[in-house]
Amino acid sequence: MTKLAKPPGQRLVKRMSTRTKGLIVVSLGLILFSIGLCVFSVAAEANQAGAPFRQWFLWGTYSLILINGGLLLFGQAVRYRVQIDYRRFVRRELKKRDREWARALQKRKAPLGKSEAK
């Protein structure tokens, strides 16, 4: 069985930084959520105007799909943001630990002073 090549978009997304992915996903999520709310208002207007059940029901269903999709994308963007913050925290802690180890090593290697030699 031959191995299928990955689509070029998938490789592009894999190479993106977490920050870039987060910015794209949060923008798409907010846009989808906003469009979903607009479509929901159209469905409500159709219901109030006495449109057939099928028409406003389908508009409402479509709007709920858009709203939930937007919220899901926004949640994914929050996950990316948490990843960024956690990585930053870990890097800071590792740097702090390395500085403390370097200080401890310098204290051990420091030459003995006149008062300490006696």
Side-chain angles (χ1 to χ4, degrees):
M1 187 176 210
T2 61
K3 229 180 183 182
L4 297 175
K6 290 183 179 179
Q10 190 174 6
R11 281 185 271 149
L12 177 73
V13 170
K14 191 169 182 95
R15 287 187 300 194
M16 278 185 196
S17 69
T18 306
R19 181 176 302 269
T20 304
K21 288 179 195 175
L23 289 173
I24 291 171
V25 171
V26 76
S27 302
L28 289 175
L30 289 174
I31 289 170
L32 272 180
F33 184 75
S34 301
I35 291 171
L37 290 177
C38 292
V39 173
F40 187 73
S41 70
V42 169
E45 286 178 21
N47 184 16
Q48 292 297 320
F53 172 78
R54 175 184 272 181
Q55 182 181 2
W56 64 263
F57 178 78
L58 290 177
W59 278 110
T61 304
Y62 179 58
S63 73
L64 289 176
I65 291 169
L66 290 173
I67 289 171
N68 287 328
L71 289 176
L72 286 173
L73 286 176
F74 192 75
Q76 183 66 35
V78 169
R79 286 184 63 208
Y80 285 136
R81 185 67 206 180
V82 168
Q83 273 184 335
I84 292 168
D85 291 343
Y86 182 72
R87 286 178 187 163
R88 184 179 297 147
F89 171 77
V90 169
R91 284 186 192 124
R92 284 181 184 164
E93 291 298 317
L94 289 175
K95 282 182 183 179
K96 196 184 303 183
R97 186 187 68 184
D98 289 345
R99 282 192 302 262
E100 290 171 1
W101 283 359
R103 284 186 203 133
L105 286 175
Q106 283 178 351
K107 285 181 182 178
R108 288 183 190 167
K109 292 181 179 179
L112 296 175
K114 291 180 183 178
S115 62
E116 295 173 353
K118 294 180 182 182

